[in-house]
Amino acid sequence: MKETLQLTSVRMAQQFMESYRNHELYATWHYENGCLLKALEELYTHTGEQKYFDYIRELMDHFVQEDGSIRSYTIEEYNLDQINQGKSLFLLHEKTGEEKYRKAAELLMTQLKGQPHTSEGGFWHKKIYPFQMWLDGLYMATPYLTQYGAVTGEEKWFDKAALQLLLVEQRTRDPRSGLLYHAWDESKEQRWSSGETGCSPHVWSRAMGWYVMAVVDTLDYLPVDHPQRGQIVGIFERVANALVHVQDQQTGLWPHLLDQPGRERNYLEASGTSMFVYALAKGVRKGYLSGKFKAVAEKGYQGLLQHLLQTDREGVLSLTQCNGGAGLGGSPYRDGSYEYYVTESIRINDPKSVAPFILAGVEIELYKSN
């Protein structure tokens, strides 16, 4: 297995490692850094190449101080996005034994212990978004909670993580399609929220990508005998089936808005597709999903290579049709309308698209090596 990861994922990772030091996000504690570091951690795990670990440590040491404080991080934001970069702390502490990494991990847990929540215990996405659960936040925080529980033996965090995954799926699921809306407002105060359900109007591809990645990564650490594990695995299968129905059959890609396939300006998008490929492929490999999803994942990955990945004369890779970002509320106000989503920026080699693209490639390569 150590020699098998070749070609696209490794090339893209190497290219990004060289260029990312000049990226504007490199100097700020940010969830997109965490996405890239997760991809490098998987490459390190499956290739054993020290350069990936060294890069992770270099980037994290830019922020983690000797006393465990984190430069440019503030607990009082109560922002789930800020947890994501901390996932690398577990690897760093395991490999080096340095206390600063453990202390930094505890600092992030201090936030999660005090994270504001809905009446049922669902984390608010951010302090500035009261009573709102966004699918994005599940990926940022839930795998962190379960890994922390596994490392410390504090089993209550398994329960907390399971609650997040189950509650948000229950509240955002469209009963007809099985797809999950981007977000849910318990208070139903937001202009974007349905007065009946509290859900946002559309199914954003990357939001569902965050969710399925959260599920498959959380299951890595959720004990086999946990009371909610079977239910989470079952929901994963149900969501995967819903995704199959909206995969573009010609290209294997998924549209930017999953509930509006074929609608004008609704383009086939790189980040969501990469996330689905990663989650489905890993889900099959780990036994969480039925084997039928292997072909679905492979079709999606081939679609990325054939339709969205470009190579110039110097061999530089460009992942195209990456949605730059999408949110709800805030200022200026994002109303969650179709017009809003399709007018957000489209980028090339956006970190939160490149990272899951690398992860997708790793999982597809692991198929071939087993």
Side-chain angles (χ1 to χ4, degrees):
M1 185 185 298
K2 295 290 185 185
E3 302 83 48
T4 57
L5 296 185
Q6 304 292 338
L7 305 174
T8 311
S9 285
V10 171
R11 286 175 59 202
M12 181 62 91
Q14 187 61 44
Q15 175 182 308
F16 232 66
M17 287 163 67
E18 292 169 0
S19 65
Y20 198 67
R21 291 184 181 91
N22 298 319
H23 197 285
E24 62 183 355
L25 294 177
Y26 187 87
T28 304
W29 184 264
H30 197 274
Y31 77 90
E32 293 189 47
N33 292 341
C35 293
L36 177 62
L37 293 176
K38 170 64 175 176
L40 297 182
E41 183 172 338
E42 289 302 301
L43 282 170
Y44 173 65
T45 298
H46 295 297
T47 68
E49 292 193 32
Q50 187 67 24
K51 64 182 179 181
Y52 299 121
F53 179 84
D54 292 344
Y55 193 95
I56 292 168
R57 189 172 187 179
E58 172 196 326
L59 179 52
M60 290 295 282
D61 281 352
H62 187 64
F63 299 96
V64 179
Q65 309 302 299
E66 287 303 316
D67 63 355
S69 61
I70 300 172
R71 193 174 60 79
S72 80
Y73 164 76
T74 305
I75 283 182
E76 285 73 18
E77 291 181 6
Y78 288 103
N79 179 351
L80 292 185
D81 286 344
Q82 299 289 53
I83 303 299
N84 194 47
Q85 188 171 342
K87 293 172 182 175
S88 295
L89 293 167
F90 299 109
L91 172 70
L92 291 169
H93 184 251
E94 176 191 350
K95 296 298 181 182
T96 70
E98 290 192 24
E99 274 294 283
K100 68 176 184 178
Y101 300 125
R102 186 192 64 78
K103 291 177 180 178
E106 292 290 353
L107 177 62
L108 295 178
M109 275 303 299
T110 300
Q111 175 191 322
L112 291 177
K113 289 173 183 177
Q115 188 75 15
H117 54 78
T118 69
S119 63
E120 298 164 294
F123 288 149
W124 295 5
H125 187 56
K126 301 180 184 181
K127 179 182 70 177
I128 61 172
Y129 300 139
F131 296 95
Q132 299 169 38
M133 294 189 76
W134 295 20
L135 296 180
D136 316 36
L138 275 292
Y139 177 74
M140 307 303 165
T142 307
Y144 187 93
L145 278 176
T146 45
Q147 191 167 3
Y148 181 86
V151 168
T152 63
E154 296 182 32
E155 297 183 0
K156 62 183 178 181
W157 301 117
F158 300 140
D159 299 339
K160 179 67 77 172
L163 172 66
Q164 305 308 309
L165 293 174
L166 295 172
L167 179 59
V168 84
E169 191 270 348
Q170 177 188 357
R171 293 303 185 184
T172 63
R173 182 175 181 268
D174 174 20
R176 292 192 208 173
S177 68
L179 299 171
L180 310 183
Y181 292 109
H182 186 174
W184 169 65
D185 174 15
E186 182 183 38
S187 67
K188 302 179 183 177
E189 293 173 344
Q190 291 297 310
R191 297 204 308 269
W192 54 256
S193 67
S194 162
E196 182 178 349
T197 66
C199 291
S200 57
H202 289 294
V203 178
W204 177 39
S205 181
R206 186 155 71 233
M208 278 204 70
W210 291 129
Y211 182 79
V212 292
M213 290 206 306
V215 169
V216 80
D217 287 355
T218 294
L219 288 170
D220 284 342
Y221 300 99
L222 194 67
V224 176
D225 62 352
H226 189 273
Q228 276 78 51
R229 184 181 173 88
Q231 188 176 356
I232 291 168
V233 170
I235 283 173
F236 191 15
E237 180 94 5
R238 182 168 71 173
V239 170
N241 276 310
L243 289 172
V244 171
H245 292 305
V246 290
Q247 184 180 29
D248 182 68
Q249 292 307 300
Q250 184 175 355
T251 64
L253 303 168
W254 276 270
H256 177 46
L257 289 177
L258 300 180
D259 60 326
Q260 303 291 318
R263 188 170 173 181
E264 186 179 3
R265 295 187 293 163
N266 188 20
Y267 58 96
L268 299 170
E269 198 271 330
S271 68
T273 296
S274 297
M275 292 170 168
F276 300 146
V277 170
Y278 166 69
L280 295 178
K282 182 177 177 180
V284 173
R285 179 174 66 84
K286 303 275 279 191
Y288 309 143
L289 294 177
S290 303
K292 66 181 181 179
F293 295 109
K294 178 179 179 180
V296 177
E298 289 176 337
K299 185 174 183 178
Y301 190 62
Q302 288 305 311
L304 288 165
L305 297 182
Q306 293 171 14
H307 299 285
L308 299 187
L309 190 69
Q310 298 175 357
T311 308
D312 67 14
R313 292 179 180 179
E314 285 72 44
V316 176
L317 300 173
S318 293
L319 185 64
T320 63
Q321 294 182 204
C322 307
N323 167 239
L328 295 161
S331 180
Y333 196 83
R334 299 163 295 182
D335 63 3
S337 65
Y338 182 81
E339 184 68 18
Y340 162 68
Y341 282 105
V342 298
T343 53
E344 277 285 10
S345 63
I346 301 174
R347 301 176 183 172
I348 295 174
N349 283 349
D350 189 67
K352 55 192 173 292
S353 297
V354 169
F357 174 78
I358 294 170
L359 288 170
V362 170
E363 284 299 330
I364 296 297
E365 288 286 342
L366 288 173
Y367 270 152
K368 299 174 183 177
S369 64
N370 291 331

